[in-house]
Amino acid sequence: MPKTVHFWYHRHFKPLTIHCDFPPERIYTPIPLTQHMSFSRDTDCTVSAPDVSQHTPSAVQSPVPAVLLARIPKPRGDVSRIKRGGYNLHEALGWPSSDYEETRTFVVHLAREHLKVNKSWRSQSKASLTIVYAEAKKRYHILDRYEDNWVFSSKFTLTRHTQAVNVLAVSMHGALLITGGNDSRIVVWSLVSGEMIQELFVPAAGYISAIIWIDFDDHGESAFAFGASDGNIQIYERSNDALFEFRSTTIGHTGAVESLAWDPVHRRLASAGDGLPYVWNLTPDKTLTSVFSQPDKQPYVARTVHFYDNGASLLVSFLESGEIFCYSIEPWDLKWRKKVQGRIGNTALEGNFLLVSNLKDGVDKYAIPALQRVQSYSHIILHNVPLQISVARQAGLIFVGGDDGFARVFDYSSGAYRGQLEHGHRGDRIIPIALHEGRTGCTVVTGSCFNGHSNVKVWEEGESAWQEADVTPPSPSAGTSPTMQLV
């Protein structure tokens, strides 16, 4: 009997834009002021935290106002998890044992007086928590000197992707999360329990490069679309059994889909890739039809798209040229074309402001349509990779991906650096970032763009530090063990 010969067919795709490391700009500029410099890792520019052992907790007012003292950053890792890179709170504070125990005893007393001690910290009312913290800081002023970002802590760690996580999207009501990566996987998660709801494996599509929720109604979790390195756009819709089923595939671009945007007003989807944008009408059978014929192709990477002016216009950014094009959709016409200062790694649209990751020294905020820079969020860049941006207006914060194991947090109004979310190891690229703001606060999601130990972390805003709960399908640990730092 003749042997049966098997042939394996492998498709190869070039790396996505978010995995590219761009060389620095070689344009002559005057020597910047020290306050505008970005120092490399070779330069020792670390700002040492104040020696808290010299400022022990005391009920006596310090002669120096607390707002003038440097904020003390949170140590790397999680409290009490020493074996997992965490820290011991007593050692991290550096207080004498007597002062530490005195402060701890007072905070425990406040908790028993104002809180329901038989319930978790997450179940407490914000009004009661505010009283506890106000009273503690009133007596021990040194508590005011710790960075605001200590209120964020890891809620879940979601592990399923075997390669780099590229994109994240949180549903309208914050109940579901979808993630996509280089392993051709799309995973649907519950943000309530941390459980994996569904996994889609699409190896023929290549790397998952863009993903977005498609909201047909107020439910906000009925369908989603994703683009991949094969240039196609696929749509999945939720069925009666709460799982998502395939609906259509549209041949969109000749290269990877860089960005997707959804307009709920006109039920349109926009995509960017291979130097040009497309706008698609969504038909009742969940297929896409192009609104216009192919526009003029630019010789640059079409990096992002955003619907603007209630869906009447489309903003398109181009990476290398640093240009923003604004098109009217009906009829399709170029309204204006302007250039930002630097290149465009990524963008986020917030009302009449466009935030741009400039691949140079951080993020710039521009007022549109004038495209005038009104604010900057500067940070050191080790690798010129396009970092994603998310804005939490209610919390007054802006979150930016990072290239050294953490995501950065800035004050949205002032541009001041507020702290960081420690996601992974040093050198890890934490590029994708997404968030949701609801009545209970702000939930932030970060993903590691690193092959080998890629994961997704969910962070929750609160008035205490939460211990991390690892979640690994198919039997995730949905429970968390809340704890207050000083209790």
Side-chain angles (χ1 to χ4, degrees), residues 81-363:
R81 297 204 165 189
I82 311 300
K83 293 183 179 180
R84 298 182 55 183
Y87 61 94
N88 177 277
L89 180 62
H90 188 185
E91 295 177 357
L93 293 174
W95 298 350
S97 297
S98 58
D99 294 314
Y100 175 82
E101 290 299 327
E102 175 190 339
T103 309
R104 178 182 178 278
T105 301
F106 181 73
V107 173
V108 170
H109 170 74
L110 289 175
R112 290 174 176 171
E113 181 179 354
H114 298 283
L115 305 177
K116 299 177 180 179
V117 294
N118 61 331
K119 291 187 176 182
S120 67
W121 206 261
R122 186 179 304 177
S123 303
Q124 308 295 336
S125 70
K126 285 197 172 183
S128 300
L129 290 172
T130 301
I131 294 174
V132 171
Y133 279 94
E135 291 297 322
K137 291 181 179 180
K138 182 178 179 181
R139 177 160 181 157
Y140 301 106
H141 302 286
I142 195 173
L143 297 177
D144 270 328
R145 296 181 50 195
Y146 294 88
E147 277 188 353
D148 293 337
N149 193 49
W150 285 48
V151 302
F152 281 93
S153 59
S154 181
K155 178 183 179 183
F156 297 126
T157 295
L158 312 177
T159 55
R160 185 60 179 178
H161 290 280
T162 57
Q163 297 184 38
V165 179
N166 299 328
V167 286
L168 310 166
V170 182
S171 62
M172 177 191 299
H173 300 297
L176 297 180
L177 167 72
I178 44 179
T179 62
N182 269 8
D183 54 3
S184 301
R185 281 185 171 87
I186 295 163
V187 185
V188 184
W189 306 88
S190 168
L191 284 181
V192 178
S193 64
E195 294 179 298
M196 185 184 75
I197 298 175
Q198 186 178 0
E199 179 182 16
L200 304 171
F201 185 50
V202 286
Y207 312 137
I208 309 303
S209 55
I211 201 162
I212 194 167
W213 286 97
I214 297 177
D215 303 325
F216 300 131
D217 46 41
D218 292 338
H219 293 93
E221 298 166 351
S222 54
F224 66 85
F226 74 86
S229 52
D230 65 353
N232 296 340
I233 302 171
Q234 297 190 32
I235 294 179
Y236 281 74
E237 186 179 19
R238 205 167 193 176
S239 59
N240 294 330
D241 60 358
L243 298 180
F244 291 87
E245 296 181 351
F246 172 79
R247 289 292 179 261
S248 67
T249 297
T250 302
I251 301 175
H253 301 267
T254 57
V257 178
E258 297 282 348
S259 175
L260 291 172
W262 171 249
D263 171 24
V265 178
H266 303 93
R267 292 169 63 94
R268 290 172 177 157
L269 184 74
S271 62
D274 54 44
L276 50 82
Y278 276 107
V279 179
W280 314 87
N281 282 323
L282 183 66
T283 64
D285 60 352
K286 306 304 182 294
T287 59
L288 299 176
T289 59
S290 180
V291 173
F292 50 83
S293 58
Q294 182 169 318
D296 294 335
K297 183 176 181 179
Q298 298 296 316
Y300 309 108
V301 175
R303 190 67 189 97
T304 61
V305 286
H306 299 284
F307 284 103
Y308 177 62
D309 193 19
N310 290 323
S313 304
L314 186 73
L315 297 177
V316 186
S317 67
F318 293 91
L319 191 149
E320 299 92 338
S321 66
E323 290 183 300
I324 306 290
F325 286 45
C326 182
Y327 295 95
S328 62
I329 297 177
E330 289 184 335
W332 181 260
D333 189 27
L334 180 63
K335 297 173 65 174
W336 50 264
R337 170 182 178 178
K338 298 177 182 178
K339 193 178 187 313
V340 301
Q341 299 179 30
R343 293 170 292 180
I344 300 176
N346 229 310
T347 62
L349 182 64
E350 176 59 37
N352 289 323
F353 296 98
L354 187 70
L355 292 101
V356 177
S357 177
N358 58 30
L359 289 174
K360 185 179 181 181
D361 56 9
V363 175

Side-chain angles (χ1 to χ4, degrees), residues 415-447:
Y417 181 72
R418 294 284 296 274
Q420 58 197 40
L421 303 180
E422 301 286 351
H423 181 113
H425 305 285
R426 285 191 176 275
D428 286 2
R429 297 179 180 181
I430 313 301
I431 295 177
I433 191 165
L435 60 81
H436 175 267
E437 287 190 288
R439 290 177 297 179
T440 58
C442 179
T443 299
V444 183
V445 186
T446 56

Side-chain angles (χ1 to χ4, degrees), residues 29-38:
T29 55
I31 298 176
L33 299 175
T34 303
Q35 61 186 0
H36 295 158
M37 286 184 179
S38 291

